[in-house]
């Protein structure tokens, strides 16, 4: 860490403590040349996730969009929509990729909903998969029914 006083790049850490609910670390340092003390803060550098949509356009990931879709699918169902949205966001962010397709997001949500609640799964799938006719919808219902 470069000393703000003399510019020397070596310093020693005198004290470290977590701040902001352990989201960052405050470090008290001392320059090895001029002995001036200074404070630095260390925070996690989150990767801004980009979503590649079906038409090829790109936009920044917006958790509210996923949460909204999940909330609609889980309306009056025994599913914690906010927790599920957080879980999906964490999984995508932890993949450490800068880009993710909207299709991947939809499949991740469907995979998780399928394990939690069949009705919420069908509601989400009906919008996500954009069923063309009643037959494709009934086929999906049959698949769920056979897997139970």
């Amino acid at each position: 860490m470069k000393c703000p006083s003399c510019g020397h790049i070596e310093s020693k850490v005198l004290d470290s403590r977590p701040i902001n609910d352990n989201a960052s670390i405050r470090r008290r340092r001392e320059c090895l040349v001029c002995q001036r003390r200074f404070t630095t803060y260390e925070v996690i550098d989150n990767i801004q996730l980009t979503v590649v949509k079906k038409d090829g356009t790109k936009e920044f990931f917006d958790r509210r969009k996923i949460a909204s879709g999940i909330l609609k699918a889980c309306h009056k169902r025994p599913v914690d929509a906010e927790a599920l949205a957080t879980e999906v966001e964490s999984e995508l962010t932890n993949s450490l990729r800068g880009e993710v397709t909207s299709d991947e997001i939809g499949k991740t949500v469907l995979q998780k909903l399928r394990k939690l609640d069949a009705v919420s799964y069908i509601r989400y799938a009906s919008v996500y998969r954009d069923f063309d006719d009643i037959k494709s919808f009934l086929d999906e219902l049959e698949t769920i029914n056979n897997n139970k």
Side-chain angles (χ1 to χ4, degrees), residues 64-88:
R64 292 174 298 185
K65 287 185 176 183
I66 291 176
S68 173
I70 293 172
L71 198 60
K72 289 172 189 169
C74 299
H75 183 68
K76 294 188 179 182
R77 299 298 305 162
V79 177
D80 186 348
E82 283 299 317
L84 181 58
T86 300
E87 187 179 330
V88 169

Side-chain angles (χ1 to χ4, degrees), residues 82-98:
E82 283 299 317
L84 181 58
T86 300
E87 187 179 330
V88 169
E89 179 184 25
S90 294
E91 188 173 311
L92 295 171
T93 304
N94 291 338
S95 70
L96 298 180
R97 296 180 315 177

Side-chain angles (χ1 to χ4, degrees), residues 1-10 31 34:
M1 185 62 59
K2 186 176 177 181
C3 174
S5 182
C6 71
H8 189 70
I9 59 170
E10 290 187 35
C31 177
C34 69

Side-chain angles (χ1 to χ4, degrees), residues 16 18 20 44-45 97 147:
S16 292
N20 298 334
I44 296 172
D45 186 17
R97 296 180 315 177
N147 287 337

Side-chain angles (χ1 to χ4, degrees), residues 50-66:
T50 303
V51 178
V52 180
K53 300 181 86 166
K54 290 178 183 177
D55 64 0
T57 60
K58 296 179 181 181
E59 64 181 45
F60 287 121
F61 177 81
D62 186 357
R63 181 188 179 284
R64 292 174 298 185
K65 287 185 176 183
I66 291 176

